[in-house]
Amino acid sequence: MDTVLNKEQLHRALTERHTAQVQEKLDHARVAVAGLGGLGSNVAFALARIGVGHLHLIDFDVVDITNLNRQQYTARHLGMYKTLALAHELKEINPFLDIYTHCVRVTESNIQSLFEHETIICEAFDRPEAKAMLANGILEQFPDKFLVSASGMAGFGSGNSICTKRAGRHFYVCGDGTSLPGPGNGLMAPRVMLCAAHQANMITRLILGEETV
């Protein structure tokens, strides 16, 4: 039997879990997730589940069969743009989220226009050069915004080596900082999801004012 869920019911359930004060901060938070692969799709799922009110999803890619080992997509999403597929998935969790998408590649020239409206940016790219480009661009163009990045989550090493470190005034990096993907040491769901959870938790702490500058 289908259950009809209304906005008030869902908000009441979240408030009962988080308290009204906490949920109000989550409701008004604005987070951009750049890259919707193993990191970004899992970060977005976590933020949607706790009721972060405004999510900006950015990626240019489509879902490929090789993504299914660690990303929040299923076989029915193959060939779909990740922005569209993930937005649909998140609406299944919370139909009342404010989700908007950009199906574009992030470049030095569009950082200003893409990220001007969010207070927290999650860097969730695969390639080191793309990570560096976004980090440098945000730190230079938006020094007062928070950036939560990731580095080092490949393979199947100890999960205890993955941590969150402060790398600057408004800059945090999650991961072990060393393990790069390669033959026999690929990106696998457990450690990638662990790193994504660190990112989502750091973003939550920033929203709730648990980290001071």
Side-chain angles (χ1 to χ4, degrees):
M1 183 176 67
D2 291 336
T3 300
V4 178
L5 181 69
N6 63 50
K7 186 174 184 179
E8 290 70 26
Q9 287 175 318
L10 184 54
H11 194 268
R12 184 163 56 248
L14 290 169
T15 300
E16 287 176 358
R17 288 286 183 183
H18 304 151
T19 74
Q21 182 181 16
V22 167
Q23 192 55 48
E24 183 178 9
K25 291 180 180 178
L26 294 171
D27 289 341
H28 291 94
R30 307 188 69 92
V31 180
V33 182
L36 305 179
L39 292 170
S41 65
N42 283 293
V43 169
F45 257 63
L47 299 181
R49 289 193 184 281
I50 63 172
V52 169
H54 309 276
L55 291 176
H56 183 187
L57 309 178
I58 305 167
D59 201 307
F60 67 93
D61 207 359
V62 299
V63 180
D64 180 80
I65 193 170
T66 60
N67 301 150
L68 302 184
N69 82 320
R70 68 195 185 281
Q71 303 181 17
Q72 287 285 359
Y73 305 106
T74 64
R76 68 187 175 92
H77 297 124
L78 292 175
M80 291 179 62
Y81 283 110
K82 290 182 178 180
T83 47
L84 180 61
L86 189 58
H88 284 171
E89 291 289 278
L90 298 182
K91 287 289 188 177
E92 288 290 314
I93 297 170
N94 185 340
F96 312 106
L97 289 176
D98 174 28
I99 297 175
Y100 58 111
T101 64
H102 274 100
C103 188
V104 296
R105 185 190 294 271
V106 178
T107 65
E108 293 179 357
S109 62
N110 62 15
I111 286 176
Q112 180 74 37
S113 60
L114 281 176
F115 299 103
E116 60 182 334
H117 298 300
E118 284 77 42
T119 54
I120 302 173
I121 294 106
C122 174
E123 177 277 305
F125 293 144
D126 289 334
R127 296 182 297 109
E129 57 270 26
K131 290 175 175 292
M133 178 272 297
L134 180 59
N136 290 334
I138 295 298
L139 294 173
E140 179 182 337
Q141 299 183 48
F142 297 112
D144 292 327
K145 294 182 185 290
F146 288 100
L147 174 64
V148 180
S149 187
S151 176
M153 75 284 310
F156 40 88
S158 172
N160 293 333
S161 64
I162 292 178
C163 60
T164 301
K165 295 182 179 180
R166 191 173 192 163
R169 182 169 177 266
H170 283 164
F171 184 24
Y172 297 83
V173 180
C174 305
D176 64 26
T178 58
S179 58
L180 297 175
N185 195 56
L187 293 167
M188 300 177 72
R191 289 188 101 237
V192 171
M193 293 175 73
L194 202 59
C195 189
H198 270 260
Q199 287 187 285
N201 190 61
M202 188 69 249
I203 291 167
T204 304
R205 288 175 56 78
L206 292 170
I207 292 170
L208 300 181
E210 293 298 307
E211 288 287 321
T212 57
V213 177

